[in-house]
Amino acid sequence: MSQPTITLWSDANFFSPYVMSVYVALKEKGLSFTLQTVDLNSGQHLQPGWKGYQLTRRVPVLAVDDFLLTESSAIAEYLEERFAPPTWERIYPHNLEKRARARQIQAWLRSDLVPIREERATDVVFVGVKKPPLTEKGAAAAQKLITTVENLLPAGQQNLFAEWSLADTDLALMLNRLILNGDDVPERLQEYAAFQWQRASVQRFLALCAKHSG
């Protein structure tokens, strides 16, 4: 099936969890796209001359023909509507309430749990860096994450909603900030995160990280 020209802008190291979310969404949709990078470490994203400068000056940036969009949650919702099921693969649950819950989880992961994001940066996840023990605030945020996921993940299920959704990838990434650093996480949640991490779209993104971190 023909499709528009799609480009995804990422940080040069592919360390952004939000780039990963969009990358996985595009792969799961079965969409062809090209990758461009901008070097955040050198401040390239703050300089004119790249597509995101006129928007939020952050990655990810998605271009679909002449339409530009930033912020991963907005991009994912746009992709689900623009390339809608059943013609294209689904990245959110079919059920309205489950779909709302998936988006709630994604919004929560982006707006809360700041100590985890600060103390367990994604270099832990993508290149195996080890961090010091969590601070008191970090430990409290970790416990909040664990308790919430234990309540959200039905017993005996490998996905949040019986079927995979993009929220599973985002949630597994947050859990893996702790798990891959060796922090204490219940076995059931470790198994959930490990299962999500084996998805082909996730593995392709991890391969990109490995390629650009060498």
Side-chain angles (χ1 to χ4, degrees):
M1 180 178 296
S2 63
Q3 64 164 69
T5 300
I6 301 175
T7 305
L8 172 63
W9 274 264
S10 169
D11 58 297
N13 295 324
F14 292 89
F15 279 4
S16 167
Y18 311 118
V19 169
M20 176 180 174
S21 187
V22 174
Y23 180 96
V24 168
L26 289 165
K27 286 292 186 183
E28 294 288 344
K29 283 283 183 189
L31 295 166
S32 300
F33 61 99
T34 58
L35 280 167
Q36 297 285 343
T37 60
V38 58
D39 190 344
L40 306 187
N41 293 331
S42 69
Q44 186 183 1
H45 59 301
L46 302 176
Q47 304 299 321
W50 75 291
K51 292 292 187 181
Y53 183 79
Q54 299 298 330
L55 297 172
T56 58
R57 302 180 191 180
R58 306 202 306 177
V59 294
V61 175
L62 186 77
V64 179
D65 287 338
D66 295 329
F67 177 65
L68 296 175
L69 189 63
T70 65
E71 300 303 314
S72 60
S73 55
I75 292 171
E77 291 186 26
Y78 168 74
L79 289 173
E80 185 76 328
E81 295 181 15
R82 173 66 176 79
F83 303 97
T87 304
W88 305 91
E89 293 298 319
R90 186 178 298 281
I91 58 172
Y92 285 106
H94 179 268
N95 175 270
L96 177 63
E97 283 72 28
K98 290 180 179 180
R99 190 160 67 248
R101 182 72 71 207
R103 287 169 171 163
Q104 172 202 303
I105 291 166
Q106 289 182 297
W108 174 60
L109 293 172
R110 287 157 171 75
S111 62
D112 199 357
L113 307 172
V114 174
I116 297 177
R117 287 186 271 127
E118 290 179 342
E119 298 178 32
R120 297 291 181 265
T122 54
D123 55 1
V124 169
V125 176
F126 296 136
V127 290
V129 172
K130 298 300 181 184
K131 304 288 186 179
L134 291 165
T135 65
E136 184 176 344
K137 287 184 178 180
Q143 188 55 53
K144 181 179 182 180
L145 171 65
I146 289 167
T147 301
T148 302
V149 179
E150 286 181 323
N151 290 330
L152 288 170
L153 182 64
Q157 283 192 193
Q158 294 176 309
N159 298 309
L160 288 166
F161 308 108
E163 55 183 328
W164 175 87
S165 80
L166 190 59
D168 284 301
T169 298
D170 291 352
L171 186 55
L173 190 147
M174 183 63 80
L175 286 168
N176 274 333
R177 291 175 185 262
L178 302 173
I179 295 166
L180 298 178
N181 194 71
D183 298 308
D184 189 22
V185 174
E187 183 177 358
R188 184 169 80 97
L189 303 193
Q190 292 187 42
E191 291 173 354
Y192 163 77
F195 178 78
Q196 298 301 328
W197 229 233
Q198 293 308 308
R199 200 164 183 90
S201 56
V202 174
Q203 286 294 308
R204 290 191 184 103
F205 188 83
L206 296 177
L208 277 176
C209 294
K211 178 181 178 181
H212 289 85
S213 64

